[in-house]
Amino acid sequence: MFTSRTPYRVSFFGGGTDYTDWYKENGGAFISMGIDKYCYLNIRELPPFFDYKNRIVWSKIEQVKNIDDIVHPAIRKGLQIEGVRNVELHHIGDLPARSGLGSSSSFSVGLLHVLRRFRGCKVDKYALAKDAIRLERVLLNEAGGIQDQIAAAYGGFNFVEIQKDGNFKVNPLNLSADSQNEFEKSLLLVFTGIFRNSYELASEQIASIAKSNAQLQRIHEITLQAKSVFESREFVEEFGCLLNETWQAKKAINDKISNSTVDEIYDAALEAGAYGGKLLGSGAGGFMIFVAPQSKMKLVRSALNSLVQTSVKIDKFGTQCYQSNSGELV
């Protein structure tokens, strides 16, 4: 049995500049962080004693004879393109889907990773990210950008440059142990309680790119500015304030990105002392991330005590795969 473990991500800056219609004309850049919350996929060869040939367990249980009959689109297509048959495949996630943490892309990256290791193939993170982008955006024709697949494959805390041809370069934002500890303690992940369809929201944002040029240019400028704040002794405060700026620019793209519930949560966090924050993903609901000084974190948590909250840390490894009978990385 093989098990892949793939991180979810928090996207801080650059969302929208990773859409194809934008970066193919302008290039793009984003800053994101793989977090210590994961998508798990395990696979084994199915014993030949059942009247079905494949067993797929996600929020549903599918027991089918033919791969083409699998309902889950990513699993069906992944098994088809990787040529894998007669398996039992299970999915487990630490956090809910449709919540702005790139869960669908973590799933796609983890799926391709575990299928390839099951087949005995070597893998590399660049290829996994590129192939997960192709799976979601081309083969499944799902609207969205390309940052989530990269973040899931690589993990870490990175500034990523996207070239006009869609190739990319991952630049780690290296923090000292003390700086990383300070940064992680300044982060608060909060669930709004609202689930949403990210593909519909992404489709609307892609359709409005031509009208959002000024906002996306500003988002890109803030991203480049945020890349340099770690040279400052007050980088947490500067980072948080820039996060507030990018959230205001993002809200100006589409009036569906935020709503009264999100605005109330945001205002309460800032009134309690947070430097800034933003809604994660395409908008309208899901998780929010806030940056606050440690001296104010209890006040921020208290102001949002009706909502589910969690701290987060940087995942340093990206997607990994284990062979369960040995417990070793493969």
Side-chain angles (χ1 to χ4, degrees), residues 184-224:
E184 290 174 338
K185 287 184 176 179
S186 76
L187 299 177
L188 180 65
L189 193 64
V190 177
F191 185 49
T192 64
I194 303 171
F195 293 96
R196 77 286 184 281
N197 188 322
S198 62
Y199 303 132
E200 291 181 2
L201 291 163
S203 295
E204 292 183 14
Q205 291 176 36
I206 290 169
S208 66
I209 278 179
K211 299 178 181 179
S212 307
N213 185 72
Q215 291 86 358
L216 288 170
Q217 287 284 5
R218 181 57 186 147
I219 286 171
H220 185 69
E221 291 169 1
I222 295 170
T223 303
L224 299 181

mmCIF file of all heavy atoms in Angstrom, residues 184-224:
data_model
loop_
_atom_site.group_PDB
_atom_site.id
_atom_site.type_symbol
_atom_site.label_atom_id
_atom_site.label_comp_id
_atom_site.label_asym_id
_atom_site.label_seq_id
_atom_site.Cartn_x
_atom_site.Cartn_y
_atom_site.Cartn_z
ATOM 1 N N GLU A 184 4.858 32.310 12.304
ATOM 2 C CA GLU A 184 3.810 31.307 12.503
ATOM 3 C C GLU A 184 2.889 31.678 13.667
ATOM 4 O O GLU A 184 1.673 31.461 13.599
ATOM 5 C CB GLU A 184 4.440 29.929 12.726
ATOM 6 C CG GLU A 184 5.097 29.362 11.477
ATOM 7 C CD GLU A 184 5.844 28.069 11.727
ATOM 8 O OE1 GLU A 184 6.215 27.813 12.902
ATOM 9 O OE2 GLU A 184 6.098 27.323 10.763
ATOM 10 N N LYS A 185 3.460 32.241 14.721
ATOM 11 C CA LYS A 185 2.640 32.625 15.870
ATOM 12 C C LYS A 185 1.765 33.846 15.588
ATOM 13 O O LYS A 185 0.838 34.138 16.347
ATOM 14 C CB LYS A 185 3.530 32.882 17.088
ATOM 15 C CG LYS A 185 4.099 31.616 17.690
ATOM 16 C CD LYS A 185 4.904 31.905 18.952
ATOM 17 C CE LYS A 185 5.391 30.615 19.597
ATOM 18 N NZ LYS A 185 6.193 30.865 20.825
ATOM 19 N N SER A 186 2.048 34.532 14.483
ATOM 20 C CA SER A 186 1.246 35.699 14.116
ATOM 21 C C SER A 186 0.068 35.337 13.214
ATOM 22 O O SER A 186 -0.750 36.213 12.892
ATOM 23 C CB SER A 186 2.126 36.731 13.400
ATOM 24 O OG SER A 186 2.396 36.345 12.067
ATOM 25 N N LEU A 187 -0.029 34.075 12.818
ATOM 26 C CA LEU A 187 -1.049 33.659 11.854
ATOM 27 C C LEU A 187 -2.239 33.010 12.544
ATOM 28 O O LEU A 187 -2.083 32.213 13.462
ATOM 29 C CB LEU A 187 -0.455 32.664 10.853
ATOM 30 C CG LEU A 187 0.703 33.166 9.987
ATOM 31 C CD1 LEU A 187 1.228 32.027 9.114
ATOM 32 C CD2 LEU A 187 0.273 34.345 9.117
ATOM 33 N N LEU A 188 -3.424 33.336 12.066
ATOM 34 C CA LEU A 188 -4.649 32.719 12.562
ATOM 35 C C LEU A 188 -5.543 32.386 11.372
ATOM 36 O O LEU A 188 -5.886 33.265 10.582
ATOM 37 C CB LEU A 188 -5.387 33.655 13.524
ATOM 38 C CG LEU A 188 -6.696 33.097 14.109
ATOM 39 C CD1 LEU A 188 -6.413 31.883 14.989
ATOM 40 C CD2 LEU A 188 -7.430 34.175 14.899
ATOM 41 N N LEU A 189 -5.915 31.122 11.269
ATOM 42 C CA LEU A 189 -6.807 30.645 10.210
ATOM 43 C C LEU A 189 -8.203 30.511 10.802
ATOM 44 O O LEU A 189 -8.386 29.871 11.841
ATOM 45 C CB LEU A 189 -6.306 29.298 9.687
ATOM 46 C CG LEU A 189 -6.908 28.761 8.392
ATOM 47 C CD1 LEU A 189 -6.566 29.676 7.218
ATOM 48 C CD2 LEU A 189 -6.379 27.352 8.123
ATOM 49 N N VAL A 190 -9.177 31.118 10.150
ATOM 50 C CA VAL A 190 -10.545 31.179 10.673
ATOM 51 C C VAL A 190 -11.514 30.705 9.601
ATOM 52 O O VAL A 190 -11.432 31.136 8.440
ATOM 53 C CB VAL A 190 -10.904 32.623 11.094
ATOM 54 C CG1 VAL A 190 -12.344 32.699 11.570
ATOM 55 C CG2 VAL A 190 -9.957 33.123 12.177
ATOM 56 N N PHE A 191 -12.443 29.836 9.978
ATOM 57 C CA PHE A 191 -13.431 29.333 9.029
ATOM 58 C C PHE A 191 -14.703 30.158 9.129
ATOM 59 O O PHE A 191 -15.291 30.288 10.210
ATOM 60 C CB PHE A 191 -13.729 27.858 9.314
ATOM 61 C CG PHE A 191 -14.658 27.229 8.303
ATOM 62 C CD1 PHE A 191 -14.428 27.380 6.948
ATOM 63 C CD2 PHE A 191 -15.757 26.494 8.712
ATOM 64 C CE1 PHE A 191 -15.270 26.794 6.001
ATOM 65 C CE2 PHE A 191 -16.609 25.914 7.786
ATOM 66 C CZ PHE A 191 -16.367 26.064 6.431
ATOM 67 N N THR A 192 -15.133 30.717 8.012
ATOM 68 C CA THR A 192 -16.330 31.555 7.999
ATOM 69 C C THR A 192 -17.612 30.747 8.166
ATOM 70 O O THR A 192 -18.665 31.324 8.468
ATOM 71 C CB THR A 192 -16.440 32.327 6.673
ATOM 72 O OG1 THR A 192 -16.612 31.404 5.592
ATOM 73 C CG2 THR A 192 -15.196 33.191 6.433
ATOM 74 N N GLY A 193 -17.539 29.435 7.932
ATOM 75 C CA GLY A 193 -18.737 28.602 7.981
ATOM 76 C C GLY A 193 -19.478 28.550 6.660
ATOM 77 O O GLY A 193 -20.514 27.887 6.544
ATOM 78 N N ILE A 194 -18.939 29.237 5.638
ATOM 79 C CA ILE A 194 -19.598 29.306 4.329
ATOM 80 C C ILE A 194 -18.823 28.456 3.332
ATOM 81 O O ILE A 194 -17.617 28.644 3.137
ATOM 82 C CB ILE A 194 -19.649 30.762 3.823
ATOM 83 C CG1 ILE A 194 -20.356 31.664 4.832
ATOM 84 C CG2 ILE A 194 -20.349 30.823 2.463
ATOM 85 C CD1 ILE A 194 -20.254 33.145 4.503
ATOM 86 N N PHE A 195 -19.522 27.522 2.689
ATOM 87 C CA PHE A 195 -18.943 26.760 1.593
ATOM 88 C C PHE A 195 -19.368 27.416 0.272
ATOM 89 O O PHE A 195 -20.447 28.000 0.183
ATOM 90 C CB PHE A 195 -19.412 25.307 1.619
ATOM 91 C CG PHE A 195 -18.912 24.540 2.802
ATOM 92 C CD1 PHE A 195 -19.693 24.388 3.932
ATOM 93 C CD2 PHE A 195 -17.641 23.979 2.795
ATOM 94 C CE1 PHE A 195 -19.235 23.689 5.033
ATOM 95 C CE2 PHE A 195 -17.167 23.270 3.894
ATOM 96 C CZ PHE A 195 -17.967 23.121 5.008
ATOM 97 N N ARG A 196 -18.517 27.310 -0.743
ATOM 98 C CA ARG A 196 -18.857 27.928 -2.023
ATOM 99 C C ARG A 196 -18.252 27.143 -3.169
ATOM 100 O O ARG A 196 -17.358 26.328 -2.976
ATOM 101 C CB ARG A 196 -18.431 29.390 -2.068
ATOM 102 C CG ARG A 196 -16.948 29.628 -2.290
ATOM 103 C CD ARG A 196 -16.089 29.321 -1.091
ATOM 104 N NE ARG A 196 -14.709 29.665 -1.352
ATOM 105 C CZ ARG A 196 -13.864 28.912 -2.063
ATOM 106 N NH1 ARG A 196 -14.276 27.800 -2.607
ATOM 107 N NH2 ARG A 196 -12.619 29.291 -2.245
ATOM 108 N N ASN A 197 -18.772 27.392 -4.388
ATOM 109 C CA ASN A 197 -18.274 26.735 -5.592
ATOM 110 C C ASN A 197 -17.161 27.590 -6.186
ATOM 111 O O ASN A 197 -17.423 28.620 -6.801
ATOM 112 C CB ASN A 197 -19.409 26.543 -6.609
ATOM 113 C CG ASN A 197 -18.977 25.697 -7.801
ATOM 114 O OD1 ASN A 197 -17.852 25.807 -8.270
ATOM 115 N ND2 ASN A 197 -19.868 24.847 -8.276
ATOM 116 N N SER A 198 -15.924 27.172 -6.011
ATOM 117 C CA SER A 198 -14.790 27.979 -6.452
ATOM 118 C C SER A 198 -14.715 28.071 -7.967
ATOM 119 O O SER A 198 -14.238 29.075 -8.516
ATOM 120 C CB SER A 198 -13.484 27.396 -5.909
ATOM 121 O OG SER A 198 -13.272 26.099 -6.404
ATOM 122 N N TYR A 199 -15.176 27.032 -8.681
ATOM 123 C CA TYR A 199 -15.082 27.050 -10.139
ATOM 124 C C TYR A 199 -15.979 28.132 -10.738
ATOM 125 O O TYR A 199 -15.591 28.824 -11.682
ATOM 126 C CB TYR A 199 -15.445 25.685 -10.712
ATOM 127 C CG TYR A 199 -14.602 24.561 -10.166
ATOM 128 C CD1 TYR A 199 -15.185 23.385 -9.704
ATOM 129 C CD2 TYR A 199 -13.213 24.673 -10.099
ATOM 130 C CE1 TYR A 199 -14.411 22.357 -9.190
ATOM 131 C CE2 TYR A 199 -12.432 23.659 -9.591
ATOM 132 C CZ TYR A 199 -13.036 22.497 -9.132
ATOM 133 O OH TYR A 199 -12.269 21.477 -8.619
ATOM 134 N N GLU A 200 -17.183 28.298 -10.180
ATOM 135 C CA GLU A 200 -18.074 29.340 -10.681
ATOM 136 C C GLU A 200 -17.489 30.717 -10.414
ATOM 137 O O GLU A 200 -17.515 31.599 -11.284
ATOM 138 C CB GLU A 200 -19.452 29.215 -10.022
ATOM 139 C CG GLU A 200 -20.240 27.984 -10.460
ATOM 140 C CD GLU A 200 -21.597 27.921 -9.800
ATOM 141 O OE1 GLU A 200 -21.934 28.856 -9.046
ATOM 142 O OE2 GLU A 200 -22.329 26.940 -10.032
ATOM 143 N N LEU A 201 -16.958 30.918 -9.219
ATOM 144 C CA LEU A 201 -16.356 32.206 -8.892
ATOM 145 C C LEU A 201 -15.135 32.489 -9.749
ATOM 146 O O LEU A 201 -14.940 33.612 -10.230
ATOM 147 C CB LEU A 201 -15.980 32.234 -7.409
ATOM 148 C CG LEU A 201 -17.149 32.249 -6.421
ATOM 149 C CD1 LEU A 201 -16.665 31.868 -5.031
ATOM 150 C CD2 LEU A 201 -17.799 33.621 -6.401
ATOM 151 N N ALA A 202 -14.300 31.462 -9.962
ATOM 152 C CA ALA A 202 -13.111 31.636 -10.796
ATOM 153 C C ALA A 202 -13.501 31.970 -12.228
ATOM 154 O O ALA A 202 -12.863 32.803 -12.882
ATOM 155 C CB ALA A 202 -12.249 30.380 -10.751
ATOM 156 N N SER A 203 -14.551 31.310 -12.736
ATOM 157 C CA SER A 203 -15.011 31.584 -14.105
ATOM 158 C C SER A 203 -15.408 33.037 -14.262
ATOM 159 O O SER A 203 -15.088 33.683 -15.270
ATOM 160 C CB SER A 203 -16.193 30.674 -14.452
ATOM 161 O OG SER A 203 -15.800 29.320 -14.480
ATOM 162 N N GLU A 204 -16.111 33.570 -13.269
ATOM 163 C CA GLU A 204 -16.536 34.964 -13.327
ATOM 164 C C GLU A 204 -15.335 35.908 -13.277
ATOM 165 O O GLU A 204 -15.290 36.912 -13.992
ATOM 166 C CB GLU A 204 -17.488 35.272 -12.176
ATOM 167 C CG GLU A 204 -18.837 34.563 -12.293
ATOM 168 C CD GLU A 204 -19.777 34.947 -11.158
ATOM 169 O OE1 GLU A 204 -19.484 35.937 -10.460
ATOM 170 O OE2 GLU A 204 -20.791 34.263 -10.996
ATOM 171 N N GLN A 205 -14.350 35.572 -12.450
ATOM 172 C CA GLN A 205 -13.179 36.433 -12.340
ATOM 173 C C GLN A 205 -12.340 36.393 -13.607
ATOM 174 O O GLN A 205 -11.794 37.415 -14.043
ATOM 175 C CB GLN A 205 -12.357 36.032 -11.120
ATOM 176 C CG GLN A 205 -13.055 36.355 -9.807
ATOM 177 C CD GLN A 205 -12.291 35.867 -8.590
ATOM 178 O OE1 GLN A 205 -11.071 35.894 -8.568
ATOM 179 N NE2 GLN A 205 -13.010 35.421 -7.573
ATOM 180 N N ILE A 206 -12.233 35.209 -14.215
ATOM 181 C CA ILE A 206 -11.495 35.092 -15.473
ATOM 182 C C ILE A 206 -12.182 35.905 -16.562
ATOM 183 O O ILE A 206 -11.532 36.597 -17.356
ATOM 184 C CB ILE A 206 -11.370 33.610 -15.879
ATOM 185 C CG1 ILE A 206 -10.421 32.883 -14.910
ATOM 186 C CG2 ILE A 206 -10.858 33.473 -17.309
ATOM 187 C CD1 ILE A 206 -10.435 31.376 -15.058
ATOM 188 N N ALA A 207 -13.513 35.841 -16.602
ATOM 189 C CA ALA A 207 -14.266 36.574 -17.618
ATOM 190 C C ALA A 207 -14.106 38.078 -17.472
ATOM 191 O O ALA A 207 -14.252 38.825 -18.452
ATOM 192 C CB ALA A 207 -15.744 36.190 -17.543
ATOM 193 N N SER A 208 -13.790 38.535 -16.254
ATOM 194 C CA SER A 208 -13.693 39.980 -16.013
ATOM 195 C C SER A 208 -12.256 40.483 -15.960
ATOM 196 O O SER A 208 -12.022 41.631 -15.553
ATOM 197 C CB SER A 208 -14.406 40.336 -14.703
ATOM 198 O OG SER A 208 -13.732 39.757 -13.589
ATOM 199 N N ILE A 209 -11.298 39.668 -16.391
ATOM 200 C CA ILE A 209 -9.889 40.062 -16.307
ATOM 201 C C ILE A 209 -9.626 41.354 -17.069
ATOM 202 O O ILE A 209 -8.903 42.242 -16.600
ATOM 203 C CB ILE A 209 -8.974 38.923 -16.800
ATOM 204 C CG1 ILE A 209 -8.769 37.906 -15.672
ATOM 205 C CG2 ILE A 209 -7.613 39.451 -17.262
ATOM 206 C CD1 ILE A 209 -7.901 36.732 -16.036
ATOM 207 N N ALA A 210 -10.212 41.485 -18.249
ATOM 208 C CA ALA A 210 -9.968 42.680 -19.057
ATOM 209 C C ALA A 210 -10.419 43.941 -18.333
ATOM 210 O O ALA A 210 -9.820 45.018 -18.486
ATOM 211 C CB ALA A 210 -10.685 42.557 -20.396
ATOM 212 N N LYS A 211 -11.468 43.819 -17.509
ATOM 213 C CA LYS A 211 -11.983 44.968 -16.772
ATOM 214 C C LYS A 211 -11.265 45.168 -15.442
ATOM 215 O O LYS A 211 -11.510 46.170 -14.764
ATOM 216 C CB LYS A 211 -13.479 44.784 -16.519
ATOM 217 C CG LYS A 211 -14.325 44.675 -17.787
ATOM 218 C CD LYS A 211 -15.786 44.446 -17.427
ATOM 219 C CE LYS A 211 -16.645 44.303 -18.680
ATOM 220 N NZ LYS A 211 -18.072 44.046 -18.328
ATOM 221 N N SER A 212 -10.417 44.209 -15.079
ATOM 222 C CA SER A 212 -9.765 44.241 -13.762
ATOM 223 C C SER A 212 -8.281 44.535 -13.859
ATOM 224 O O SER A 212 -7.522 44.245 -12.942
ATOM 225 C CB SER A 212 -9.970 42.893 -13.051
ATOM 226 O OG SER A 212 -11.321 42.534 -13.014
ATOM 227 N N ASN A 213 -7.856 45.124 -14.968
ATOM 228 C CA ASN A 213 -6.434 45.319 -15.212
ATOM 229 C C ASN A 213 -5.771 46.128 -14.104
ATOM 230 O O ASN A 213 -4.702 45.756 -13.605
ATOM 231 C CB ASN A 213 -6.224 46.010 -16.557
ATOM 232 C CG ASN A 213 -4.760 46.131 -16.925
ATOM 233 O OD1 ASN A 213 -4.110 45.150 -17.262
ATOM 234 N ND2 ASN A 213 -4.233 47.342 -16.858
ATOM 235 N N ALA A 214 -6.407 47.213 -13.691
ATOM 236 C CA ALA A 214 -5.792 48.077 -12.673
ATOM 237 C C ALA A 214 -5.644 47.344 -11.347
ATOM 238 O O ALA A 214 -4.605 47.448 -10.673
ATOM 239 C CB ALA A 214 -6.630 49.348 -12.495
ATOM 240 N N GLN A 215 -6.666 46.588 -10.952
ATOM 241 C CA GLN A 215 -6.623 45.856 -9.681
ATOM 242 C C GLN A 215 -5.555 44.760 -9.713
ATOM 243 O O GLN A 215 -4.819 44.569 -8.737
ATOM 244 C CB GLN A 215 -7.986 45.253 -9.371
ATOM 245 C CG GLN A 215 -9.062 46.260 -9.025
ATOM 246 C CD GLN A 215 -9.765 46.810 -10.257
ATOM 247 O OE1 GLN A 215 -9.415 46.469 -11.385
ATOM 248 N NE2 GLN A 215 -10.774 47.649 -10.028
ATOM 249 N N LEU A 216 -5.478 44.042 -10.838
ATOM 250 C CA LEU A 216 -4.488 42.964 -10.941
ATOM 251 C C LEU A 216 -3.070 43.524 -11.002
ATOM 252 O O LEU A 216 -2.138 42.920 -10.459
ATOM 253 C CB LEU A 216 -4.788 42.092 -12.157
ATOM 254 C CG LEU A 216 -6.023 41.192 -12.008
ATOM 255 C CD1 LEU A 216 -6.394 40.539 -13.331
ATOM 256 C CD2 LEU A 216 -5.791 40.118 -10.940
ATOM 257 N N GLN A 217 -2.904 44.657 -11.671
ATOM 258 C CA GLN A 217 -1.595 45.305 -11.666
ATOM 259 C C GLN A 217 -1.197 45.691 -10.243
ATOM 260 O O GLN A 217 -0.048 45.518 -9.835
ATOM 261 C CB GLN A 217 -1.616 46.558 -12.555
ATOM 262 C CG GLN A 217 -1.649 46.267 -14.047
ATOM 263 C CD GLN A 217 -0.293 45.812 -14.596
ATOM 264 O OE1 GLN A 217 0.677 45.623 -13.852
ATOM 265 N NE2 GLN A 217 -0.217 45.629 -15.907
ATOM 266 N N ARG A 218 -2.157 46.196 -9.477
ATOM 267 C CA ARG A 218 -1.864 46.580 -8.089
ATOM 268 C C ARG A 218 -1.552 45.348 -7.252
ATOM 269 O O ARG A 218 -0.621 45.364 -6.430
ATOM 270 C CB ARG A 218 -3.068 47.332 -7.495
ATOM 271 C CG ARG A 218 -2.852 47.784 -6.061
ATOM 272 C CD ARG A 218 -1.636 48.667 -5.934
ATOM 273 N NE ARG A 218 -1.344 49.004 -4.531
ATOM 274 C CZ ARG A 218 -0.123 49.178 -4.058
ATOM 275 N NH1 ARG A 218 0.948 49.056 -4.847
ATOM 276 N NH2 ARG A 218 0.062 49.490 -2.785
ATOM 277 N N ILE A 219 -2.296 44.266 -7.448
ATOM 278 C CA ILE A 219 -2.027 43.019 -6.728
ATOM 279 C C ILE A 219 -0.621 42.519 -7.039
ATOM 280 O O ILE A 219 0.105 42.050 -6.153
ATOM 281 C CB ILE A 219 -3.094 41.968 -7.088
ATOM 282 C CG1 ILE A 219 -4.425 42.316 -6.396
ATOM 283 C CG2 ILE A 219 -2.645 40.556 -6.706
ATOM 284 C CD1 ILE A 219 -5.595 41.472 -6.842
ATOM 285 N N HIS A 220 -0.221 42.622 -8.303
ATOM 286 C CA HIS A 220 1.128 42.196 -8.692
ATOM 287 C C HIS A 220 2.183 43.074 -8.023
ATOM 288 O O HIS A 220 3.201 42.566 -7.527
ATOM 289 C CB HIS A 220 1.266 42.257 -10.214
ATOM 290 C CG HIS A 220 2.567 41.720 -10.723
ATOM 291 N ND1 HIS A 220 2.896 40.391 -10.675
ATOM 292 C CD2 HIS A 220 3.648 42.348 -11.269
ATOM 293 C CE1 HIS A 220 4.103 40.208 -11.188
ATOM 294 N NE2 HIS A 220 4.587 41.384 -11.548
ATOM 295 N N GLU A 221 1.958 44.387 -8.000
ATOM 296 C CA GLU A 221 2.908 45.299 -7.363
ATOM 297 C C GLU A 221 3.052 44.995 -5.869
ATOM 298 O O GLU A 221 4.165 45.003 -5.327
ATOM 299 C CB GLU A 221 2.430 46.741 -7.548
ATOM 300 C CG GLU A 221 2.509 47.242 -8.989
ATOM 301 C CD GLU A 221 1.781 48.562 -9.164
ATOM 302 O OE1 GLU A 221 1.242 49.085 -8.163
ATOM 303 O OE2 GLU A 221 1.751 49.062 -10.315
ATOM 304 N N ILE A 222 1.936 44.739 -5.192
ATOM 305 C CA ILE A 222 1.982 44.425 -3.760
ATOM 306 C C ILE A 222 2.734 43.124 -3.520
ATOM 307 O O ILE A 222 3.482 42.997 -2.546
ATOM 308 C CB ILE A 222 0.552 44.338 -3.189
ATOM 309 C CG1 ILE A 222 -0.138 45.704 -3.260
ATOM 310 C CG2 ILE A 222 0.580 43.854 -1.735
ATOM 311 C CD1 ILE A 222 -1.620 45.659 -2.937
ATOM 312 N N THR A 223 2.564 42.158 -4.425
ATOM 313 C CA THR A 223 3.260 40.879 -4.300
ATOM 314 C C THR A 223 4.762 41.078 -4.338
ATOM 315 O O THR A 223 5.511 40.510 -3.522
ATOM 316 C CB THR A 223 2.825 39.921 -5.422
ATOM 317 O OG1 THR A 223 1.411 39.752 -5.379
ATOM 318 C CG2 THR A 223 3.497 38.563 -5.277
ATOM 319 N N LEU A 224 5.236 41.887 -5.274
ATOM 320 C CA LEU A 224 6.667 42.159 -5.378
ATOM 321 C C LEU A 224 7.161 42.921 -4.147
ATOM 322 O O LEU A 224 8.270 42.675 -3.658
ATOM 323 C CB LEU A 224 6.949 42.961 -6.649
ATOM 324 C CG LEU A 224 6.572 42.285 -7.977
ATOM 325 C CD1 LEU A 224 6.933 43.193 -9.146
ATOM 326 C CD2 LEU A 224 7.266 40.937 -8.120
#
